[in-house]
Amino acid sequence: MIKEIVVASGKGGTGKTFISSNLAYLIHSLGENIIAVDADVEAPDLILALGGEKKRFWTEDYYGSFRPVVDYSKCAKCWKCLNYCRFGAIKKSDRGPLIDYSKCEGFGVCAVVCPSKAISLTRVKTGVIYMAESESGIKVITGDLELGGGSSGRLVYELKQRSRKFLKEGYVVVDSAPGIGCPVISSISGADLLVIAIEPTPQSIKGACRLLEVARSLRVKAVSVVNKYDLNPAIVDKIESMLEVEVVGRIPYSDEVVESYTAMTPLLATKSSIKETVEEVLNKILGEVP
Amino acid sequence: MIIAVAGGKGGTGKTTLAVSLALLASGEHKVLLGDIDVDNPCTFTLLDISLKTLRTIFAYKPVIEEEKCSFCGTCSFYCPAHALVVIPGKKVIFMETLCEGCSLCEVVCPNGAIREGKETIGYLKFGEKGYLHLIVGELKPGSRRYHEVAGETLAHILSISEKYDYIVVDCPPGTGASVAEALKVSDIVVAVTEPTRLGVHDLIKFKKLVERCGKKLVIVVNKYGISGGCYRELEKVAGNEFFKIPYDRYLVEAYSTGRSVVEMYPESPSAKALRDLWQWLRSL
Ligand code: SF4
Ligand code: SF4
Ligand code: SF4
Ligand code: SF4
């Protein structure tokens, strides 16, 4: 049985990677099998938080999109492609359809509907997927989306599929992208537990609230952790009732968190003064996995 | 002039900076602040203004008419988002939250059993504070289509741009397609980062995106001075030419109560640094 825990936040910079990296480290040090998945494919840094890359197992190119190419000699200028393109990516020209690739989502509807078979699709590499071992001994599957790339949700789907191929038993810890959009939905769907990293600010609470709506629609159990809770203690007590989500732990602000990143060592592997608090919170999270 | 405020990592202070610049600029100019961080737009909370909805943003969604369906599985085979599951002979299950609205299923269905429907994916909203106008795109929670909502919001901002002297665009984190589109239409890109290893690492990727778009990049390091930071690495990536916003308790306090530091503590070191940044940007 695989248990999948996804750490997300609704708003960036609230300590998502801090929680996921240390959670992965804790599970690993308990002797359990674990693969960490970095689903923040536009800005992947989980492996850095786990000490950096020690060994690369494999790398594969990710072809996440198609590029329609028009063979103008076959085009009958019927404009069916233009009428069917839902993303406004096709314009008329004397030769036939002109495709604006910055708008094209690459699903290939135009190629399917063209009666003259004048549009062919070529696969486009939109990123890479790789599995590596971090300096702290944890296996990480990560994706790196090309600059300006789309289709990040499908890349996340692929990453999660890979983690299940390489793990028969144990835990998958997913570090989600910030926000509530496409890659986040892919991260959360099918997970056993969602952990929401919240900061005691109105902005972060609003993001968490939006994220919870998504979790509920996907029927995924959610709990939350309040990071840097001492920045605004007055608001912390209200979070549970405002969001109707259990707060399983509170982590204080500490310079040692930034220092642990600079030293590329998970906080749990340091002598930090908040280490025990963090460990306790993470153990509680593990206890919440259904 | 269009100024895009972005930067790879989330939570580095993009919105604080965008709001501050817009507020400072609106003292003397007509300013539009555009918020395309549609997953969780926060400009209006920091400005403490309420918004009114200009319009709802819709997108395509397939509607399956089961009486015409032969459960052949073609739609499921073509669906790029794994949103359709066909149980042979029995049922087509459509998982709305996974759908990306490409309409391939409709096009490939041999029995015409799929027709066009529409769903709400977000909202376009407007607000104002003195001479400062605000356009906000907001994704409906549960919808995947953040890229389209951001795109519509950006298109709206551009359609009214000639009414303003300055347009500040608050971008989402990351280096994805929505960010790239905003950078392309901007005159200056302000990248906000923090002196942490993750912040510096994400800046490297972001810088490449700006270079590819051929735009002028101004790097702003927020929380400058936090202890244990990654300062040497930061200088390697950002050079010596970057703006520093010092980490002070005023900024933290203003932010954690949902306010902007330039309004709440105009004499604080962080507010002063933000003013200097604005003076410098306007001289460009
Ligand atoms: S692939 Fe899709 S988005 Fe691109 S041009 Fe064809 S129909 Fe339009
Ligand atoms: S559908 Fe095919 S034939 Fe018709 S205009 Fe488009 S490319 Fe040409
Ligand atoms: S392609 Fe059409 S007929 Fe076939 S399973 Fe899908 S909806 Fe039914
Ligand atoms: S519109 Fe596209 S993504 Fe949605 S169900 Fe149909 S094929 Fe799948």
Side-chain angles (χ1 to χ4, degrees):
Chain A
M1 256 272 285
I2 292 178
K3 294 184 170 178
E4 187 179 300
I5 307 173
V6 50
V7 185
S9 68
K11 182 181 181 315
T14 57
K16 199 168 43 63
T17 304
F18 174 70
I19 292 173
S20 53
S21 59
N22 283 288
L23 184 61
Y25 184 84
L26 176 71
I27 294 170
H28 180 68
S29 61
L30 291 171
E32 300 269 1
N33 289 327
I34 171 175
I35 288 187
V37 171
D38 192 347
D40 190 357
V41 292
E42 287 181 26
D45 346 89
L46 184 61
I47 202 158
L48 275 184
L50 285 168
E53 188 173 329
K54 186 167 75 186
K55 187 164 95 193
R56 180 76 65 112
F57 297 111
W58 47 263
T59 309
E60 58 181 271
D61 289 339
Y62 172 63
Y63 292 88
S65 186
F66 288 104
R67 173 176 278 247
V69 180
V70 186
D71 177 349
Y72 292 105
S73 67
K74 289 189 187 161
C75 173
K77 293 185 206 156
C78 69
W79 309 118
K80 203 169 172 191
C81 52
L82 182 142
N83 294 332
Y84 275 86
C85 175
R86 303 216 160 258
F87 300 95
I90 300 184
K91 269 205 226 90
K92 282 190 188 182
S93 82
D94 291 344
R95 292 166 66 210
L98 275 184
I99 296 169
D100 176 350
Y101 291 111
S102 72
K103 286 194 181 140
C104 172
E105 297 266 346
F107 293 116
V109 169
C110 49
V112 174
V113 299
C114 172
S116 325
K117 304 217 175 334
I119 302 181
S120 57
L121 297 172
T122 47
R123 291 195 309 166
V124 185
K125 181 184 163 195
T126 53
V128 292
I129 301 178
Y130 62 91
M131 183 156 111
E133 188 174 303
S134 73
E135 287 292 342
S136 50
I138 295 158
K139 291 191 179 72
V140 182
I141 293 183
T142 180
D144 198 345
L145 196 67
E146 293 204 339
L147 295 171
S151 68
S152 51
R154 272 169 278 144
L155 175 51
V156 171
Y157 177 88
E158 293 296 328
L159 297 179
K160 297 220 304 183
Q161 294 288 101
R162 297 290 186 292
S163 72
R164 290 178 180 257
K165 200 168 121 195
F166 289 96
L167 194 71
K168 295 279 162 297
E169 177 89 46
Y171 288 90
V172 173
V173 172
V174 182
D175 187 22
S176 159
I180 61 167
C182 188
V184 183
I185 291 177
S186 292
S187 299
I188 299 174
S189 42
D192 297 292
L193 181 71
L194 166 66
V195 180
I196 305 181
I198 306 180
E199 253 178 29
T201 65
Q203 295 75 246
S204 169
I205 293 170
K206 183 162 86 68
C209 185
R210 290 166 66 76
L211 185 62
L212 270 165
E213 262 188 71
V214 176
R216 283 174 191 140
S217 74
L218 295 169
R219 297 194 185 82
V220 173
K221 176 181 174 183
V223 294
S224 69
V225 170
V226 182
N227 253 319
K228 309 183 187 168
Y229 79 90
D230 41 351
L231 286 186
N232 188 354
I235 215 171
V236 178
D237 294 327
K238 295 186 197 137
I239 290 178
E240 214 155 43
S241 59
M242 267 160 76
L243 297 181
E244 292 172 34
V245 66
E246 190 189 343
V247 175
V248 292
R250 298 167 184 208
I251 297 172
Y253 180 83
S254 166
D255 290 340
E256 289 160 348
V257 173
V258 176
E259 284 160 14
S260 75
Y261 283 137
T262 301
M264 294 224 281
T265 313
L267 186 102
L268 288 191
T270 69
K271 295 198 171 61
S272 161
S273 60
I274 63 164
K275 181 176 153 178
E276 269 161 36
T277 314
V278 174
E279 206 168 314
E280 198 181 310
V281 172
L282 297 175
N283 272 311
K284 272 200 191 145
I285 292 175
L286 288 181
E288 292 288 334
V289 180
Chain B
M1 179 157 93
I2 302 181
I3 304 170
V5 180
K9 188 177 177 306
T12 54
K14 281 183 291 296
T15 304
T16 301
L17 193 101
V19 165
S20 304
L21 290 179
L23 277 171
L24 293 167
S26 69
E28 298 161 57
H29 302 279
K30 291 201 76 176
V31 179
L32 175 64
L33 176 58
D35 191 341
I36 64 164
D37 188 1
V38 302
D39 284 20
N40 182 31
C42 287
T43 46
F44 66 97
T45 47
L46 285 178
L47 285 165
D48 196 22
I49 55 183
S50 49
L51 302 175
K52 68 167 193 262
T53 301
L54 292 175
R55 65 180 155 89
T56 303
I57 302 172
F58 296 104
Y60 175 93
K61 125 175 156 186
V63 178
I64 298 155
E65 294 172 347
E66 286 212 356
E67 57 289 0
K68 290 190 195 159
C69 172
S70 65
F71 310 104
C72 66
T74 311
C75 54
S76 159
F77 176 78
Y78 274 91
C79 174
H82 313 279
L84 291 163
V85 179
V86 178
I87 302 172
K90 285 212 178 103
K91 207 175 167 50
V92 181
I93 303 168
F94 171 53
M95 286 168 286
E96 197 168 332
T97 43
L98 295 180
C99 174
E100 297 192 40
C102 68
S103 80
L104 257 181
C105 51
E106 180 185 334
V107 170
V108 298
C109 175
N111 300 320
I114 301 182
R115 67 176 164 81
E116 172 168 1
K118 66 176 182 178
E119 65 167 327
T120 299
I121 57 169
Y123 310 93
L124 191 66
K125 298 184 170 182
F126 172 80
E128 58 190 320
K129 187 171 198 169
Y131 288 115
L132 175 60
H133 287 180
L134 181 61
I135 292 288
V136 176
E138 194 180 272
L139 181 70
K140 182 178 168 226
S143 172
R144 271 187 184 260
R145 325 278 276 274
Y146 67 137
H147 180 42
E148 283 159 87
V149 176
E152 288 250 355
T153 310
L154 188 63
H156 183 78
I157 292 167
L158 294 176
S159 74
I160 55 173
S161 60
E162 70 291 348
K163 287 196 254 172
Y164 300 94
D165 304 320
Y166 288 95
I167 296 174
V168 180
V169 181
D170 187 16
C171 296
T175 51
S178 317
V179 178
E181 265 164 46
L183 300 194
K184 277 184 212 147
V185 299
S186 304
D187 301 297
I188 297 178
V189 178
V190 178
V192 189
T193 189
E194 57 184 29
T196 63
R197 186 167 295 274
L198 306 191
V200 173
H201 177 249
D202 294 343
L203 180 65
I204 298 173
K205 195 172 175 189
F206 185 76
K207 245 180 97 176
K208 286 195 192 130
L209 180 65
V210 180
E211 276 159 20
R212 212 178 67 180
C213 296
K215 299 295 172 174
K216 177 164 175 60
L217 175 66
V218 177
I219 296 172
V220 175
V221 181
N222 197 9
K223 308 182 195 173
Y224 196 89
I226 44 169
S227 93
C230 225
Y231 296 98
R232 225 173 330 126
E233 286 79 359
L234 177 67
E235 268 164 36
K236 259 192 238 152
V237 177
N240 298 318
E241 291 186 10
F242 54 82
F243 268 86
K244 301 168 189 168
I245 312 289
Y247 189 68
D248 63 27
R249 67 176 184 85
Y250 303 101
L251 191 110
V252 177
E253 195 188 314
Y255 185 80
S256 67
T257 51
R259 297 281 307 280
S260 160
V261 70
V262 291
E263 281 189 311
M264 200 167 166
Y265 297 113
E267 292 313 315
S268 63
S270 48
K272 278 199 183 116
L274 287 161
R275 274 204 299 277
D276 288 346
L277 172 64
W278 162 240
Q279 289 305 337
W280 187 76
L281 282 175
R282 70 183 296 186
S283 72
L284 288 176

